[in-house]
Structure formats: C-alpha cells, structure tokens
Amino acid sequence: MSAPLANPIDPITLEVLRNALEAVAQEMGAVLKLTAFSPNIKERMDASCALFDQHAQLVAQAEHVPVHLGSMMRAVAPILARSGPLEQGDIVMVNDPFVAGAHLPDVTLLAPVFIDGTCVAYVATRAHHSDVGGMEPGSMPGASRSIYQEGIILPPVKLYRAGVLQEDIQAIFLRNVRTPEERRGDLNAQLAALRVGIARLEEVAERFGHATLASGFAAILDYSERRMRRRLAEMTPGVYEAEDFLDDDGSNTDPVRICVRATISPDRLVLDFEGSSPQCAGNVNAVAPMTQSASFFAVKLLIDATLPANAGVLRLLDIRIPKGSFLDAQAPAAVCAGNTETTQRVTDAVLRAFAQIAPDRIPAASQGTMNLVSIGGVDPRNGQSYTYIETICGGQGGRPHGAGMDGVQVNMTNTMNTPIEALEISYPLRVECYELREGSGGEGRHRGGCGVIRSLRVIGHEARVSFQSDRRRFSPYGLHGGKDGAVGRNVKTDRDGNEQVVGGKGSVTMKAEEVISIETPGGGGWGSH
C-alpha cells in the first residue's frame, strides 16, 4: 500500500482537533453514565461511545469497553447499508449480532450529524442492557443453542424518524423484556448521549470550519496509519504461531481451539486463524467483528498503547478468519458468550504469538474470562421482576516490568464493579464475601495478579442464575518461565452449607438463602526467578 497522501492540516491543529473529538466521546460517556437507570451502566459503565466519519470509519472513541469499540469499527457500515439513507433527526437502533457485531444485550443507537444540510459524521452509543428477553433472566443463558433463545433480535430500525419517536418500535422492544422501565431509562440515557455528541460536533465544526473538520477526519486516520507503519518497520519480519483453548462450548466438554498465525512485514500485519475449531453447538461462537475486536486490542498493545484507536490502524491489519469456524459464526448460531469469553481467549492467543515478537512488551495471560453472572427473579420487596448482571474482575498477568494487578477487569472488558451498597439497594441480594483470592496468581520474577471471591446470597425468593465463564479447566499461561495462574471456580452453597461446584457455562435455580460464589482466575507469572 502506498504511503498516505499529504494532508493540509498542520500538526498542532491536528492534535487539537483529535483531542477535541475524543473529548466529545468522553462527554457522551459521562452523560450516558449519569443518566442511566440500571446499575450495570450507571455504576459499572458497561457502555461505550464513539464518533465515525461520513464514510462510517471510526475516528474517535472514549476509553470505554474494548469489546464494544473494536466491533463497532466493523459494524457501522453494515448497519447503514441495511437501514437505508438517514435524514437529520433519524436514530437507528440495532442489536442483531450478525449486523452489529455484538451479542443481543448490547443495544446500539446510531445517529447522523448534519452540518449545513450535509451528513458529515455519525455518533454512536452501545450499552449492555441487563435484559433483552430470551430463555433466562439477564439474556445470557448458559445453555442456549440458537440466537432465538437469547432475546429479541432487532435489525437496524429507525427508533426516531426526523426527530419523532417511533412508539411502535419502542413498544415492541419493551414488551419483550423483563424490566421494561429500566430498559426505557437506559435507552433514554443513550439518546441523551447521542444528542450531546451531535451538539458538540456542531460546535467543533463551527470552531474549525466544515472543510477543516472533513480534512481533519482523514488526517487523524492517516496519523494512526503512519504510527503503525513506523512500528511495523522496526519489528523483525517473520511468522509467529500460538494456540489456546476455551474450556468447552457450553454444550459438551470438548475444548474449543483458537489457532493464530501472525505474519509481520514492514507494511502489513496478518493474523490468520486457520485451524481454529468449527462453529459450535453452544454459545461461545463469535461473529467476525468480535474476533476482529479482540485482535485489534492485542495489536494496539503490541504496537503502542498510546496509538489513537481508529480505522487508520486497520489499513495495515489483515485479519483472516476461516469460513465455517466458530470465530466467524453464521446465523442462527448462539453467540452470547462469544462476546464475553471468546474475545478474551482470542486476545490471549494473539498476545501469546506477539510475546515471541516483543517479549519486553507483552504480559503473561490475565484471567482470560469476564466471569459474567446474571441473576433474575421477582423482587419480594415490590413484586417486580429484576435482572442483575455483572462481570467480575480477576488477576492480571505478570508484566515484563512488574507484577500483575490484583482484582482488576482485564483486556476486552473495562468496566467497574457494582458497589456493594448499590447492589444490595437495587436487588434482593446480599454480598456475603468480596475479597482477594490469595495465592491464585502464578509465581515468577513478576507474579500474576490474584483473582477475587464474590459471594451472593439470594434473599426471600427463588431466582435463576446463569454463568458465562471460562478458565475453569485451562489455566492462564505464564510466560518466559513464569508459572500458570490458578483456574476459577463457581460454587453453589445450599441452606445447610453443602457445596456444589457448577460449570463455567450454565444456568441453575437457587432457593431463598442459597449462596453462589464466583472464584475468579489469577494471572500467569512472567519470567523465572
């Protein structure tokens, strides 16, 4: 590929504009968090915001959830292709994984930005809704075998037309979820974030001028491409291979293989996943944007953590996913755990290959799972349905220059935890234990971080609990002589104190006063003593 064309914008203006656009995305996120109804968004910020140019290329994002942002890079163009032309005041709503590139709970809202009658950009929010219907509360069933079991499926539809709410579209969505008022509140928070994004982009255009804004978008993408090209030229060309395994697909005990071959050259980085397992019966299948999202995250770590994350990086990145594999799932495959678990393992596999290229930059494996747990039932305090959902932190892998962090969200998730006070106020649950899992990090010159133990008691009612977790069988790997981290464990304790280990992926019924404990994996160690 030839070098990017020269852009008329000077470096100082470019940097000011780039930071202004990132600030717009950050402000969108702040509005979304502050106005959301559900603890999953207002406390944990399981949501993301981004800006796209008129060609649907990602230009700027806030530092929110990597699995959201990376997949949106590949999703906006297909969404627009199916929604048809957008007019001022239109807002598209979509959660179809085979279009939007995420699982069903991740609802995306997309709006155009018009300046002087011309569409110059798009703003987008993606938020994980705590329930979108389906066979289990929380819409993350452990035993789903089809997308139709995971919730309502929305193709790209116009929630707003010329600024007017399409009440029938909203009514269909709200009628198919267990917590409609919470969903309405979270949708309104997303809408508020979009409106702020549109207003701020209009201000940026007024400040810099329409033409400068359009040139600035192109210059920002060129800038990221130049930085990536420079880093690739510094690396030793070659082919580097790695593999890793998911414990199972949730339908049987067979491990699921991820194989990656990284080929480095001065102007291209190729990631080829040939040899990975075929599409599964269970729900660890990932649509292609999920796989691409995890790959993009790992590439950014290899190249430069400060590299602006936008579509310019994609120009030098070639991701090849074999047709028929579980990393490019086709409808009607179940995919809810592809977003949470498979992306984590793709990251682990790609980083393992990259550790051969840049051993002084790549950490050992972190916990490699999101440990997602969802609990739902009828709240005895008010007779209303509720759905609690959370991803639980674990150990970070030991790093080339220091120990891994304890009890932290890693890699493809960047959310916070639900504070105990907020959790117990919002749900008929009690936190019995929340502590570090001492000794779970792998030993090494730089030890892996410790996982955590989080135990929840169901209060005064019967509830359904679903798990999407991994690394219960295959340990997070150590690097360069470091020891592996400890695997995780999910344990159900009845009212008599009897313990039952439950699988990493599944759904169970819990009676009143029973406790579920999630013991999360530790990170692998880095280097020998």
Side-chain angles (χ1 to χ4, degrees):
M1 178 180 291
S2 59
L5 296 175
N7 195 287
I9 294 183
D10 65 89
I12 294 176
T13 301
L14 173 62
E15 193 66 6
V16 172
L17 179 59
R18 185 177 69 81
N19 281 275
L21 295 175
E22 291 181 3
V24 172
Q26 293 284 7
E27 185 177 354
M28 289 173 64
V31 169
L32 178 52
K33 184 178 189 296
L34 290 171
T35 58
F37 273 36
S38 69
N40 192 54
I41 299 174
K42 71 181 179 183
E43 300 289 355
R44 300 186 58 246
M45 193 49 192
D46 194 351
S48 301
C49 303
L51 313 179
F52 299 79
D53 69 10
Q54 68 271 37
H55 305 298
Q57 300 179 104
L58 177 68
V59 174
Q61 64 178 43
E63 292 190 2
H64 291 153
V65 183
V67 74
H68 289 168
L69 296 162
S71 58
M72 275 202 288
M73 293 178 76
R74 301 283 192 173
V76 172
I79 291 171
L80 292 172
R82 288 162 175 78
S83 68
L86 300 185
E87 305 296 333
Q88 189 159 4
D90 288 353
I91 296 177
V92 174
M93 178 181 184
V94 58
N95 75 339
D96 185 344
F98 303 100
V99 179
H103 55 190
L104 291 177
D106 285 341
V107 177
T108 300
L109 298 187
L110 177 71
V113 181
F114 282 81
I115 305 294
D116 297 330
T118 300
C119 179
V120 299
Y122 297 91
V123 291
T125 64
R126 176 169 286 178
H128 186 121
H129 285 248
S130 297
D131 188 87
V132 292
M135 64 189 290
E136 296 287 354
S139 309
M140 292 292 290
S144 56
R145 302 293 177 266
S146 164
I147 189 67
Y148 302 112
Q149 297 175 310
E150 297 179 350
I152 183 172
I153 305 170
L154 295 170
V157 293
K158 291 182 180 179
L159 181 62
Y160 278 75
R161 290 180 182 269
V164 178
L165 172 65
Q166 305 303 290
E167 295 187 9
D168 53 351
I169 296 295
Q170 179 176 263
I172 289 171
F173 175 67
L174 296 179
R175 186 64 182 87
N176 281 275
V177 303
R178 295 173 175 86
T179 50
E181 290 309 308
E182 188 176 82
R183 302 284 65 73
R184 188 196 305 271
D186 285 349
L187 278 179
N188 285 338
Q190 289 186 257
L191 291 166
L194 288 182
R195 290 172 181 135
V196 166
I198 292 169
R200 295 295 179 265
L201 272 180
E202 290 172 345
E203 293 170 6
V204 171
E206 182 177 358
R207 176 183 177 187
F208 288 93
H210 183 175
T212 300
L213 181 63
S215 297
F217 287 159
I220 288 168
L221 302 187
D222 288 348
Y223 172 69
S224 289
E225 179 186 346
R226 286 196 302 273
R227 284 185 57 176
M228 182 164 176
R229 187 182 299 276
R230 187 161 55 244
R231 285 287 293 133
L232 287 177
E234 296 169 356
M235 295 180 180
T236 303
V239 179
Y240 308 87
E241 298 182 350
E243 67 176 9
D244 209 333
F245 295 86
L246 287 156
D247 296 338
D248 54 70
D249 74 344
S251 71
N252 59 57
T253 59
D254 295 337
V256 184
R257 183 177 187 240
I258 295 175
C259 182
V260 63
R261 180 181 299 105
T263 303
I264 296 279
S265 62
D267 61 356
R268 178 72 55 183
L269 170 55
V270 179
L271 296 176
D272 191 337
F273 290 92
E274 186 67 41
S276 299
S277 291
Q279 185 164 306
C280 303
N283 53 29
V284 300
N285 299 296
V287 292
M290 296 179 189
T291 304
Q292 292 158 346
S293 175
S295 301
F296 179 82
F297 174 86
V299 167
K300 191 171 184 293
L301 197 64
L302 170 71
I303 298 298
D304 185 348
T306 67
L307 178 72
N310 58 50
V313 177
L314 299 182
R315 296 172 180 172
L316 305 180
L317 179 60
D318 183 0
I319 302 172
R320 302 174 183 176
I321 310 171
K323 294 295 183 183
S325 78
F326 87 110
L327 299 177
D328 183 16
Q330 304 299 307
V335 299
C336 63
N339 212 55
T340 59
E341 300 309 307
T342 302
T343 57
Q344 294 279 55
R345 191 63 69 259
V346 169
T347 301
D348 286 345
V350 175
L351 288 178
R352 198 169 199 169
F354 287 172
Q356 303 167 52
I357 303 169
D360 61 335
R361 294 181 59 84
I362 304 301
S366 297
Q367 68 160 339
T369 174
M370 294 192 192
N371 299 297
L372 187 142
V373 59
S374 56
I375 304 177
V378 176
D379 191 334
R381 299 173 297 182
N382 56 25
Q384 300 294 313
S385 295
Y386 77 93
T387 52
Y388 154 81
I389 191 165
E390 183 160 19
T391 58
I392 301 176
C393 58
Q396 182 188 45
R399 296 168 289 179
H401 307 295
M405 289 186 285
D406 301 325
V408 65
Q409 300 280 4
V410 298
N411 296 345
M412 298 309 292
T413 181
N414 189 35
T415 54
M416 295 173 278
N417 69 179
T418 306
I420 293 173
E421 298 85 352
L423 191 156
E424 294 184 344
I425 289 171
S426 301
Y427 308 111
L429 305 170
R430 186 165 66 229
V431 179
E432 297 289 314
C433 172
Y434 193 25
E435 64 185 19
L436 290 179
R437 190 180 173 208
E438 298 293 346
S440 56
E443 292 297 322
R445 187 187 319 162
H446 303 300
R447 69 163 181 84
C450 293
V452 304
I453 302 173
R454 190 155 168 97
S455 301
L456 301 167
R457 183 182 298 274
V458 174
I459 304 297
H461 71 296
E462 184 175 278
R464 288 289 288 175
V465 181
S466 295
F467 305 97
Q468 297 292 354
S469 57
D470 210 77
R471 292 294 194 199
R472 269 56 183 167
R473 179 179 178 185
F474 298 110
S475 300
Y477 59 79
L479 278 180
H480 313 301
K483 302 298 184 183
D484 293 347
V487 296
R489 198 171 74 129
N490 304 332
V491 182
K492 175 185 171 185
T493 305
D494 66 20
R495 286 172 287 192
D496 297 323
N498 300 310
E499 292 188 351
Q500 175 192 355
V501 176
V502 295
K505 304 169 190 69
S507 300
V508 297
T509 298
M510 291 183 62
K511 298 178 181 178
E513 306 307 321
E514 291 188 331
V515 175
I516 189 70
S517 297
I518 299 92
E519 302 176 8
T520 69
W526 194 98
S528 57
H529 284 291

